[in-house]
Amino acid sequence: MSVPNTVAVVGGGTMGAGIVHVFLAAGSSVVLAEADAVRAAVGLSNVEASLRKAEERGKLDRSATELLGRLSTVEDLGALPEDTALVVEAVPEKLDLKRAVFDAVARRCPGAVLASNTSSLSITELAGGLPGERVIGMHFFNPVPVQALVELVLHPGLAAETVATVRGWAEALGKTVIEVRDSPGFATSRLGLVVGLEAIRMLAEGVATAEDIDTGMRLGYAWPMGPLRLTDLVGLDVRLSIAEHLAAELGPRFEPPQLLRDKVARGELGRKTGQGFFTW
Ligand SMILES: NC(=O)c1ccc[n+]([C@@H]2O[C@H](COP(=O)([O-])OP(=O)(O)OC[C@H]3O[C@@H](n4cnc5c(N)ncnc54)[C@H](O)[C@@H]3O)[C@@H](O)[C@H]2O)c1
C-alpha cells in the first residue's frame, strides 16, 4: 500500500511538523491546518527546517524544495479538501480541543479517517458522537522522521478495515506498527513510565547516582539512553502530568515520587530549562 494522495495534519508544532514531513517524503500532498496565519507561518517553517535537516543528512529522495511544493496551509478546518483521506490531529493534549477539531473535520471531510496523535487521552472518549469506525489513535514518536514506531490505538467501535488501512499507510512511511487496545498510557507511555518513576525513586533513596542508574540500563539492558536522561528530554513536567493521570486511572503504582514533584516545583524541567536530573 502507498500513502494517501491527500493528507491533512492539524497542528504544526513539534509533532505535527514531523508528521507533515514524513507524509511529504512518502509522496502525499499535505494540507497543514493551524489556528491562525501567524501560527501557520511558524508551522510551515517548522516543516521546512525539518526537511532541510533531513536533506543535509542525505535522507531525502527528492529535494526539500520539491517536497515543500506539495504543502499548503489553511487556518480554517472548513477549508480542508473534502476528499482528504486521512486527517492526523496533533494539537495540544486537551480532550475538548481535539474533539472540536474532529467534529469540524468529520463535517468537512465525510470519508476521512480521523487519527489522533494523543499520547494519553482515551480514544474511546474522543470517538464518542463521531463516526467511530473511522477514529483511531495513531501515536507517532519524537522526532517523527527518525523514530521507527507508530502505536495504533484501537477502541471498540473501530472498523477492522480502518485498522488495516492505517497500518498500510504507516508501513508505507517506513514505520513499524504495534496495535494496542485503548487503555491509559497505551503500551509505550505506561511501560516507559514504570521504569522512569522507579529510577527516580532509586535516586531519591540513594541506591546509585543518576549517571550510574542510567549507565546500568544502557550497558546492562541495551537501552539507547538511560531512564533519567530520557525523563530530562521528555520534560519532568510532562512526565509528572502523565504519572498523575495514570495514578488516577490505574492505581498508586504510578504515584509520582516526591523528588519529581519537588524538581518540577523548582522549575527543573529537564533539557528545556537546562537542569533536570542532569545539567544540560
Ligand atoms: N512532543 C512529543 O514528544 C509528543 C510525542 C507523542 C505525542 N505527542 C502528542 O502530540 C500532540 C501535539 O504535541 P506537540 O508536542 O506537537 O505540541 P505543540 O505545542 O508543539 O504543537 C501543537 C500545535 O497545535 C497548534 N494548535 C493549537 N490549537 C489549534 C487549533 N485549534 N487548530 C489548529 N492548530 C492548533 C498550535 O499552534 C501548535 O503549533 C499532543 O497530543 C501530544 O500529547 C507529543
Side-chain angles (χ1 to χ4, degrees), residues 10-15 33-35 39 90-93 97-98 117-119 139-140 142:
V10 186
T14 307
M15 296 304 290
E34 261 288 352
R39 290 195 275 181
V91 299
E93 193 75 339
L97 175 60
K98 289 182 188 284
N117 187 50
T118 178
S119 30
H139 186 196
F140 288 87
N142 185 19

Side-chain angles (χ1 to χ4, degrees), residues 36-51:
D36 55 47
V38 173
R39 290 195 275 181
V42 173
L44 206 57
S45 68
N46 289 343
V47 176
E48 181 166 1
S50 181
L51 285 172

Side-chain angles (χ1 to χ4, degrees), residues 9-17 19 32-36 39-40 42-43 46 74-75 77 89-94 97-98 100-101 116-121 138-144 189 233-234 238 242:
V9 176
V10 186
T14 307
M15 296 304 290
I19 296 166
L32 170 62
E34 261 288 352
D36 55 47
R39 290 195 275 181
V42 173
N46 289 343
V74 295
E75 293 128 43
L77 294 172
E89 75 72 21
V91 299
E93 193 75 339
K94 294 182 189 137
L97 175 60
K98 289 182 188 284
V101 165
S116 173
N117 187 50
T118 178
S119 30
S120 67
L121 298 173
M138 191 178 192
H139 186 196
F140 288 87
F141 292 78
N142 185 19
V144 178
S189 304
L233 285 186
V234 171
V238 174
I242 298 172

Side-chain angles (χ1 to χ4, degrees), residues 206-220:
V207 172
T209 63
E211 196 66 56
D212 282 0
I213 289 170
D214 272 16
T215 303
M217 291 311 283
R218 275 196 304 111
L219 302 186

Side-chain angles (χ1 to χ4, degrees), residues 45-60:
S45 68
N46 289 343
V47 176
E48 181 166 1
S50 181
L51 285 172
R52 299 264 178 238
K53 197 163 145 190
E55 185 173 45
E56 277 165 25
R57 292 180 178 174
K59 302 281 185 196
L60 295 182

